[in-house]
Amino acid sequence: MIGAGAMGGATVEGLLKAGYEGKNICVSDPSAAVLGKFEALGVTTTTDNGQAVADADVVMVCVKPWLLEPVLTGIKDTLQPTKQTLVVIAAGVKSQSIKEWLGEQCPPLFLCIPNIAIAQLQSMTFLVPCVETSSPQTEQVKSLFEQMGQVVITDEQHLAAGTTLASCGIAYAMRYIRAASEGGVELGFRADEAKKIVMQTVRGAVELLQASGLHPEAAIDLVTTPGGVTIRGLNAMEHSGFTSAVINGLKAGAAKN
């Protein structure tokens, strides 16, 4: 793993929780604090990207998009296209650019967008196999990320939408939890109690939808009695633009990728 910031670090944590031994993972990062954290977990660490890549079967690069070109060109001569698989986690970077930067040294390539819940084995990960990848390679990488959540195989055209829906989307879900918790305080609960109540309620909603297969609106109908408090609350949210705000937020996020 080259780059172990928020997303790269969360992915390494997920790999460890999924059962991968630290000795089989190498983290390369310029931050001593980051390396110290993973050394304490038994992970091999280095500040030398080339050293990290040399013996790897799967090379993951998770850096800011504007750093990707210098990082990739820096390891270009160390990559082994016939023996390695390259997974790039960087929003908005096109596969064509990566191929141009690496030329003939580009291994089978996957674009990947997880979210930070990967650290808890609950990621929603989008994976794009690029043209040179084979079905066995795709299955290998898909299987790797399936140990840390759910995986959707998609095409590059839909990756920006997947990014805003799931990678950015986890922040949107957290914003709802924050807002509902603040509402709970107004209703008389202590802040920590309100947050606990809202998180369990959201967890319950997810579990119910997954178990029943119901469309969200059908599940909502189960708890909205005529003239009841639930429908009044829902309608008040809609009058304030709840659904439109969510959709507009998603579209705004996708437009930037």
Side-chain angles (χ1 to χ4, degrees):
M1 174 65 75
I2 297 178
M7 187 65 75
T11 303
V12 175
E13 290 178 39
L15 289 168
L16 292 169
K17 287 183 181 176
Y20 288 87
E21 294 186 47
K23 66 181 182 181
N24 292 326
I25 302 171
C26 183
V27 167
S28 180
D29 195 277
S31 167
V34 167
L35 296 184
K37 170 186 174 180
F38 287 107
E39 283 174 6
L41 296 173
V43 174
T44 302
T45 64
T46 181
T47 57
D48 185 337
N49 292 344
Q51 179 183 338
V53 167
D55 297 321
D57 298 312
V58 177
V59 177
M60 294 188 191
V61 180
C62 185
V63 296
K64 299 297 184 185
W66 57 87
L67 292 174
L68 188 59
E69 181 178 3
V71 167
L72 287 178
T73 53
I75 61 172
K76 179 177 178 179
D77 293 337
T78 314
L79 290 169
Q80 304 170 60
T82 61
K83 298 180 180 180
Q84 295 175 324
T85 301
L86 176 62
V87 178
V88 172
I89 304 172
V93 179
K94 303 300 183 184
S95 62
Q96 186 58 42
S97 297
I98 295 171
K99 294 171 188 175
E100 288 173 0
W101 298 333
L102 294 178
E104 294 182 356
Q105 284 297 105
C106 187
L109 171 66
F110 292 84
L111 301 182
C112 178
I113 299 291
N115 65 35
I116 57 173
I118 198 167
Q120 305 302 323
L121 309 184
Q122 292 295 331
S123 178
M124 181 69 258
T125 299
F126 290 85
L127 195 63
V128 177
C130 297
V131 176
E132 296 80 2
T133 58
S134 66
S135 293
Q137 288 164 337
T138 298
E139 190 55 40
Q140 178 195 32
V141 176
K142 179 173 179 280
S143 176
L144 178 68
F145 282 94
E146 280 181 332
Q147 295 175 67
M148 299 180 285
Q150 295 190 29
V151 176
V152 170
I153 301 289
T154 188
D155 54 36
E156 199 163 348
Q157 179 182 351
H158 290 89
L159 194 56
T163 299
T164 192
L165 194 58
S167 186
C168 303
I170 197 168
Y172 306 153
M174 289 176 181
R175 178 58 61 88
Y176 167 77
I177 291 171
R178 188 192 79 173
S181 299
E182 290 176 353
V185 173
E186 280 208 38
L187 293 172
F189 293 101
R190 294 195 306 272
D192 57 340
E193 287 181 324
K195 186 180 77 168
K196 180 179 179 181
I197 291 165
V198 173
M199 288 194 300
Q200 179 57 36
T201 302
V202 171
R203 183 181 292 115
V206 171
E207 294 285 348
L208 176 62
L209 291 174
Q210 288 181 330
S212 67
L214 287 171
H215 186 281
E217 202 60 39
I220 288 170
D221 287 343
L222 298 176
V223 293
T224 49
T225 55
V229 295
T230 304
I231 192 62
R232 289 205 296 270
L234 288 168
N235 285 340
M237 291 180 188
E238 288 302 330
H239 288 318
S240 296
F242 180 80
T243 297
S244 293
V246 172
I247 293 171
N248 288 338
L250 290 168
K251 290 167 70 175
K256 293 294 290 182
N257 285 309

